[in-house]
Amino acid sequence: MQALTLIRLLRRLALLPATLLASQAIAAEPPQSIRIATVAYANAGKITFNGPAYVMDRDQWLQQELAKRNIKLEWVPAATASVGTFVNEEFANQRIDFAFYGDLPSIIANASGVSTKLVAPGGSGNNVYLVVPSGSSATSIKDLKGKRIALHRGRPWELSFAKLLEANGLAFADFRIFNLNPQAGAAALSAGRVDAFFTLSDAFLLEDKQVGKIIWSSKQAPRDWKMRAELWGASDFVAQQPELTQLVVTAYLKAAHWTAQDANRETYQGYLAQSGQPLSVLQREVEGESWVGQFTPLYDQALRQHYADAISYSQKAKLIRGKVDVNALLEPKFVTQGLKDLQLEHYWQADQADLASRP
């Protein structure tokens, strides 16, 4: 009887596709380590991770869970000036399994054949700002037509700039765009070499130094206009190691939940300030916005619209040649399961954001 059962089992296995058997064999073999890339800062000789990654590393929950399985956790630091390029190269060379980074670089990676999955949304997004010299008479993007604008091309906030132009009936050709990183852009604005600068929260530093003033921010726009950064996983790893992927996502959700509690707001902003960003800037960045909503991990309409627009823009701007399916990028099942396991299904509410274009 046992021999007959064994024969039947072997026959069934013989009918399975070879690729399926191969994937099952790989899935049964856990890796020796899990490698997660994240933006990191060097401060007083110490490496500080950015955002929820800091909390994940502090809490040690993920490290402990992986240790039970004889797996090590390796954080891979990425410099903020080159995080997109660095992470894409690491994914392409299979040197990392996960990464916290932005939208345009991840779309570029997928269009070039480096397949990744968005396994956990990184909150509601970061604001972006249009800054002009303190003595400028410009009050809107329309006033800057024909002028010089500093913008770091290919970075996530380029999409926000493109949306601002489109909403005002303008195009890149209407301006003299200088491709400068945030540090060089700030210096150019301060020296009067450009008439405007499109950037992140470092805009507040220019106001504090009285060399610039903010005339527009994404706080005035729909939520899908914000710059986004998420937790991405290598598609092969996600498919072959779903249990380990779930651990990483659950650890992220635990960190996001702790951070989203108003009682932990000052402590968390204190962590971020270790990167060198003044606390007053961090406070102004989220002023007037929901603190809990800053860390929502939900796959809501604003997120989907953002990535659909980002793909469309990348094609129009010829940042990519290949096609990218927005539905293929998003992998929500791990967040769904993680929220259920943590009993947080109702902690964050889906945001019925206004997605209509407006300046």
Side-chain angles (χ1 to χ4, degrees), residues 269-291:
Q269 289 180 327
Y271 292 156
L272 295 186
Q274 294 182 33
S275 68
Q277 190 81 295
L279 183 59
S280 64
V281 170
L282 296 169
Q283 292 169 338
R284 281 176 283 177
E285 162 70 7
V286 297
E287 190 175 16
E289 300 186 339
S290 165
W291 179 251

PDB file of all heavy atoms in Angstrom, residues 269-291:
ATOM      1  N   GLN A 269      11.094  62.437  15.822  1.00  0.00           N
ATOM      2  CA  GLN A 269      11.709  63.585  15.164  1.00  0.00           C
ATOM      3  C   GLN A 269      13.111  63.833  15.716  1.00  0.00           C
ATOM      4  O   GLN A 269      13.998  64.305  14.991  1.00  0.00           O
ATOM      5  CB  GLN A 269      10.826  64.817  15.334  1.00  0.00           C
ATOM      6  CG  GLN A 269       9.546  64.736  14.509  1.00  0.00           C
ATOM      7  CD  GLN A 269       8.661  65.955  14.669  1.00  0.00           C
ATOM      8  OE1 GLN A 269       8.607  66.570  15.744  1.00  0.00           O
ATOM      9  NE2 GLN A 269       7.933  66.305  13.615  1.00  0.00           N
ATOM     10  N   GLY A 270      13.326  63.486  16.981  1.00  0.00           N
ATOM     11  CA  GLY A 270      14.670  63.579  17.552  1.00  0.00           C
ATOM     12  C   GLY A 270      15.631  62.622  16.865  1.00  0.00           C
ATOM     13  O   GLY A 270      16.796  62.951  16.630  1.00  0.00           O
ATOM     14  N   TYR A 271      15.140  61.415  16.530  1.00  0.00           N
ATOM     15  CA  TYR A 271      15.962  60.464  15.784  1.00  0.00           C
ATOM     16  C   TYR A 271      16.348  61.051  14.425  1.00  0.00           C
ATOM     17  O   TYR A 271      17.517  60.994  14.011  1.00  0.00           O
ATOM     18  CB  TYR A 271      15.194  59.161  15.542  1.00  0.00           C
ATOM     19  CG  TYR A 271      14.907  58.329  16.760  1.00  0.00           C
ATOM     20  CD1 TYR A 271      13.831  57.434  16.781  1.00  0.00           C
ATOM     21  CD2 TYR A 271      15.698  58.417  17.904  1.00  0.00           C
ATOM     22  CE1 TYR A 271      13.558  56.658  17.895  1.00  0.00           C
ATOM     23  CE2 TYR A 271      15.427  57.636  19.024  1.00  0.00           C
ATOM     24  CZ  TYR A 271      14.354  56.772  19.021  1.00  0.00           C
ATOM     25  OH  TYR A 271      14.089  56.008  20.123  1.00  0.00           O
ATOM     26  N   LEU A 272      15.349  61.605  13.723  1.00  0.00           N
ATOM     27  CA  LEU A 272      15.605  62.150  12.397  1.00  0.00           C
ATOM     28  C   LEU A 272      16.594  63.316  12.453  1.00  0.00           C
ATOM     29  O   LEU A 272      17.399  63.505  11.537  1.00  0.00           O
ATOM     30  CB  LEU A 272      14.302  62.617  11.756  1.00  0.00           C
ATOM     31  CG  LEU A 272      13.243  61.562  11.437  1.00  0.00           C
ATOM     32  CD1 LEU A 272      12.082  62.191  10.668  1.00  0.00           C
ATOM     33  CD2 LEU A 272      13.823  60.406  10.630  1.00  0.00           C
ATOM     34  N   ALA A 273      16.526  64.080  13.525  1.00  0.00           N
ATOM     35  CA  ALA A 273      17.410  65.229  13.658  1.00  0.00           C
ATOM     36  C   ALA A 273      18.875  64.810  13.755  1.00  0.00           C
ATOM     37  O   ALA A 273      19.776  65.622  13.496  1.00  0.00           O
ATOM     38  CB  ALA A 273      17.011  66.058  14.877  1.00  0.00           C
ATOM     39  N   GLN A 274      19.135  63.551  14.099  1.00  0.00           N
ATOM     40  CA  GLN A 274      20.511  63.066  14.166  1.00  0.00           C
ATOM     41  C   GLN A 274      21.174  63.037  12.804  1.00  0.00           C
ATOM     42  O   GLN A 274      22.390  62.953  12.689  1.00  0.00           O
ATOM     43  CB  GLN A 274      20.539  61.669  14.786  1.00  0.00           C
ATOM     44  CG  GLN A 274      20.114  61.629  16.247  1.00  0.00           C
ATOM     45  CD  GLN A 274      20.201  60.220  16.832  1.00  0.00           C
ATOM     46  OE1 GLN A 274      21.051  59.424  16.463  1.00  0.00           O
ATOM     47  NE2 GLN A 274      19.304  59.918  17.751  1.00  0.00           N
ATOM     48  N   SER A 275      20.358  63.117  11.738  1.00  0.00           N
ATOM     49  CA  SER A 275      20.915  63.141  10.385  1.00  0.00           C
ATOM     50  C   SER A 275      21.487  64.509  10.048  1.00  0.00           C
ATOM     51  O   SER A 275      22.118  64.675   9.002  1.00  0.00           O
ATOM     52  CB  SER A 275      19.819  62.791   9.376  1.00  0.00           C
ATOM     53  OG  SER A 275      18.852  63.833   9.319  1.00  0.00           O
ATOM     54  N   GLY A 276      21.254  65.479  10.922  1.00  0.00           N
ATOM     55  CA  GLY A 276      21.752  66.823  10.669  1.00  0.00           C
ATOM     56  C   GLY A 276      20.663  67.793  10.267  1.00  0.00           C
ATOM     57  O   GLY A 276      20.898  68.999  10.177  1.00  0.00           O
ATOM     58  N   GLN A 277      19.451  67.285  10.036  1.00  0.00           N
ATOM     59  CA  GLN A 277      18.323  68.156   9.685  1.00  0.00           C
ATOM     60  C   GLN A 277      17.786  68.806  10.965  1.00  0.00           C
ATOM     61  O   GLN A 277      17.442  68.112  11.908  1.00  0.00           O
ATOM     62  CB  GLN A 277      17.218  67.327   9.024  1.00  0.00           C
ATOM     63  CG  GLN A 277      16.106  68.163   8.402  1.00  0.00           C
ATOM     64  CD  GLN A 277      16.454  68.703   7.044  1.00  0.00           C
ATOM     65  OE1 GLN A 277      17.358  69.515   6.925  1.00  0.00           O
ATOM     66  NE2 GLN A 277      15.751  68.247   6.022  1.00  0.00           N
ATOM     67  N   PRO A 278      17.713  70.129  11.014  1.00  0.00           N
ATOM     68  CA  PRO A 278      17.225  70.800  12.229  1.00  0.00           C
ATOM     69  C   PRO A 278      15.814  70.353  12.604  1.00  0.00           C
ATOM     70  O   PRO A 278      14.974  70.116  11.733  1.00  0.00           O
ATOM     71  CB  PRO A 278      17.247  72.278  11.848  1.00  0.00           C
ATOM     72  CG  PRO A 278      18.278  72.374  10.769  1.00  0.00           C
ATOM     73  CD  PRO A 278      18.155  71.089   9.999  1.00  0.00           C
ATOM     74  N   LEU A 279      15.572  70.254  13.900  1.00  0.00           N
ATOM     75  CA  LEU A 279      14.264  69.824  14.384  1.00  0.00           C
ATOM     76  C   LEU A 279      13.156  70.753  13.891  1.00  0.00           C
ATOM     77  O   LEU A 279      12.060  70.300  13.559  1.00  0.00           O
ATOM     78  CB  LEU A 279      14.271  69.780  15.914  1.00  0.00           C
ATOM     79  CG  LEU A 279      12.998  69.287  16.590  1.00  0.00           C
ATOM     80  CD1 LEU A 279      12.656  67.866  16.146  1.00  0.00           C
ATOM     81  CD2 LEU A 279      13.146  69.345  18.107  1.00  0.00           C
ATOM     82  N   SER A 280      13.442  72.059  13.810  1.00  0.00           N
ATOM     83  CA  SER A 280      12.420  73.015  13.364  1.00  0.00           C
ATOM     84  C   SER A 280      11.983  72.740  11.932  1.00  0.00           C
ATOM     85  O   SER A 280      10.823  72.948  11.569  1.00  0.00           O
ATOM     86  CB  SER A 280      12.946  74.445  13.476  1.00  0.00           C
ATOM     87  OG  SER A 280      14.056  74.655  12.607  1.00  0.00           O
ATOM     88  N   VAL A 281      12.922  72.259  11.091  1.00  0.00           N
ATOM     89  CA  VAL A 281      12.593  71.907   9.706  1.00  0.00           C
ATOM     90  C   VAL A 281      11.690  70.682   9.679  1.00  0.00           C
ATOM     91  O   VAL A 281      10.692  70.641   8.955  1.00  0.00           O
ATOM     92  CB  VAL A 281      13.871  71.659   8.884  1.00  0.00           C
ATOM     93  CG1 VAL A 281      13.539  71.061   7.515  1.00  0.00           C
ATOM     94  CG2 VAL A 281      14.650  72.955   8.708  1.00  0.00           C
ATOM     95  N   LEU A 282      12.015  69.685  10.476  1.00  0.00           N
ATOM     96  CA  LEU A 282      11.217  68.461  10.536  1.00  0.00           C
ATOM     97  C   LEU A 282       9.803  68.771  11.011  1.00  0.00           C
ATOM     98  O   LEU A 282       8.833  68.187  10.519  1.00  0.00           O
ATOM     99  CB  LEU A 282      11.882  67.462  11.485  1.00  0.00           C
ATOM    100  CG  LEU A 282      13.266  66.961  11.066  1.00  0.00           C
ATOM    101  CD1 LEU A 282      13.930  66.201  12.212  1.00  0.00           C
ATOM    102  CD2 LEU A 282      13.170  66.080   9.835  1.00  0.00           C
ATOM    103  N   GLN A 283       9.674  69.685  11.931  1.00  0.00           N
ATOM    104  CA  GLN A 283       8.364  70.055  12.446  1.00  0.00           C
ATOM    105  C   GLN A 283       7.543  70.812  11.405  1.00  0.00           C
ATOM    106  O   GLN A 283       6.348  70.570  11.241  1.00  0.00           O
ATOM    107  CB  GLN A 283       8.530  70.899  13.712  1.00  0.00           C
ATOM    108  CG  GLN A 283       9.100  70.121  14.891  1.00  0.00           C
ATOM    109  CD  GLN A 283       9.507  71.010  16.057  1.00  0.00           C
ATOM    110  OE1 GLN A 283       9.760  72.214  15.883  1.00  0.00           O
ATOM    111  NE2 GLN A 283       9.578  70.433  17.253  1.00  0.00           N
ATOM    112  N   ARG A 284       8.187  71.706  10.669  1.00  0.00           N
ATOM    113  CA  ARG A 284       7.473  72.475   9.646  1.00  0.00           C
ATOM    114  C   ARG A 284       7.074  71.615   8.451  1.00  0.00           C
ATOM    115  O   ARG A 284       6.074  71.885   7.791  1.00  0.00           O
ATOM    116  CB  ARG A 284       8.316  73.665   9.201  1.00  0.00           C
ATOM    117  CG  ARG A 284       8.288  74.841  10.163  1.00  0.00           C
ATOM    118  CD  ARG A 284       9.213  75.954   9.725  1.00  0.00           C
ATOM    119  NE  ARG A 284      10.610  75.645  10.012  1.00  0.00           N
ATOM    120  CZ  ARG A 284      11.638  76.431   9.666  1.00  0.00           C
ATOM    121  NH1 ARG A 284      11.406  77.553   9.002  1.00  0.00           N
ATOM    122  NH2 ARG A 284      12.861  76.098   9.984  1.00  0.00           N
ATOM    123  N   GLU A 285       7.866  70.595   8.189  1.00  0.00           N
ATOM    124  CA  GLU A 285       7.575  69.703   7.071  1.00  0.00           C
ATOM    125  C   GLU A 285       6.205  69.043   7.213  1.00  0.00           C
ATOM    126  O   GLU A 285       5.499  68.831   6.226  1.00  0.00           O
ATOM    127  CB  GLU A 285       8.668  68.632   6.969  1.00  0.00           C
ATOM    128  CG  GLU A 285       8.344  67.400   6.156  1.00  0.00           C
ATOM    129  CD  GLU A 285       8.256  67.634   4.653  1.00  0.00           C
ATOM    130  OE1 GLU A 285       8.576  68.751   4.198  1.00  0.00           O
ATOM    131  OE2 GLU A 285       7.858  66.699   3.941  1.00  0.00           O
ATOM    132  N   VAL A 286       5.804  68.710   8.427  1.00  0.00           N
ATOM    133  CA  VAL A 286       4.532  68.007   8.644  1.00  0.00           C
ATOM    134  C   VAL A 286       3.465  68.903   9.266  1.00  0.00           C
ATOM    135  O   VAL A 286       2.380  68.432   9.581  1.00  0.00           O
ATOM    136  CB  VAL A 286       4.746  66.760   9.540  1.00  0.00           C
ATOM    137  CG1 VAL A 286       5.668  65.761   8.867  1.00  0.00           C
ATOM    138  CG2 VAL A 286       5.307  67.163  10.914  1.00  0.00           C
ATOM    139  N   GLU A 287       3.759  70.166   9.410  1.00  0.00           N
ATOM    140  CA  GLU A 287       2.813  71.094  10.024  1.00  0.00           C
ATOM    141  C   GLU A 287       1.514  71.163   9.226  1.00  0.00           C
ATOM    142  O   GLU A 287       1.520  71.280   8.006  1.00  0.00           O
ATOM    143  CB  GLU A 287       3.443  72.493  10.096  1.00  0.00           C
ATOM    144  CG  GLU A 287       2.649  73.484  10.916  1.00  0.00           C
ATOM    145  CD  GLU A 287       3.371  74.814  11.051  1.00  0.00           C
ATOM    146  OE1 GLU A 287       4.319  75.074  10.274  1.00  0.00           O
ATOM    147  OE2 GLU A 287       2.997  75.599  11.928  1.00  0.00           O
ATOM    148  N   GLY A 288       0.391  71.042   9.950  1.00  0.00           N
ATOM    149  CA  GLY A 288      -0.904  71.125   9.303  1.00  0.00           C
ATOM    150  C   GLY A 288      -1.374  69.832   8.663  1.00  0.00           C
ATOM    151  O   GLY A 288      -2.436  69.796   8.030  1.00  0.00           O
ATOM    152  N   GLU A 289      -0.625  68.748   8.817  1.00  0.00           N
ATOM    153  CA  GLU A 289      -0.985  67.466   8.224  1.00  0.00           C
ATOM    154  C   GLU A 289      -1.158  66.404   9.305  1.00  0.00           C
ATOM    155  O   GLU A 289      -0.611  66.528  10.401  1.00  0.00           O
ATOM    156  CB  GLU A 289       0.080  67.027   7.215  1.00  0.00           C
ATOM    157  CG  GLU A 289       0.256  68.008   6.066  1.00  0.00           C
ATOM    158  CD  GLU A 289       1.205  67.498   5.003  1.00  0.00           C
ATOM    159  OE1 GLU A 289       2.027  66.602   5.297  1.00  0.00           O
ATOM    160  OE2 GLU A 289       1.134  67.987   3.865  1.00  0.00           O
ATOM    161  N   SER A 290      -1.906  65.367   8.981  1.00  0.00           N
ATOM    162  CA  SER A 290      -2.155  64.281   9.935  1.00  0.00           C
ATOM    163  C   SER A 290      -0.863  63.529  10.227  1.00  0.00           C
ATOM    164  O   SER A 290      -0.196  63.042   9.301  1.00  0.00           O
ATOM    165  CB  SER A 290      -3.198  63.317   9.360  1.00  0.00           C
ATOM    166  OG  SER A 290      -3.214  62.097  10.087  1.00  0.00           O
ATOM    167  N   TRP A 291      -0.504  63.431  11.517  1.00  0.00           N
ATOM    168  CA  TRP A 291       0.706  62.702  11.889  1.00  0.00           C
ATOM    169  C   TRP A 291       0.530  61.201  11.628  1.00  0.00           C
ATOM    170  O   TRP A 291       1.412  60.555  11.066  1.00  0.00           O
ATOM    171  CB  TRP A 291       1.047  62.949  13.349  1.00  0.00           C
ATOM    172  CG  TRP A 291       2.276  62.214  13.808  1.00  0.00           C
ATOM    173  CD1 TRP A 291       2.331  61.158  14.652  1.00  0.00           C
ATOM    174  CD2 TRP A 291       3.636  62.495  13.426  1.00  0.00           C
ATOM    175  NE1 TRP A 291       3.638  60.737  14.837  1.00  0.00           N
ATOM    176  CE2 TRP A 291       4.459  61.542  14.094  1.00  0.00           C
ATOM    177  CE3 TRP A 291       4.230  63.430  12.593  1.00  0.00           C
ATOM    178  CZ2 TRP A 291       5.845  61.526  13.949  1.00  0.00           C
ATOM    179  CZ3 TRP A 291       5.623  63.415  12.445  1.00  0.00           C
ATOM    180  CH2 TRP A 291       6.412  62.470  13.115  1.00  0.00           C
TER     181      TRP A 291
END
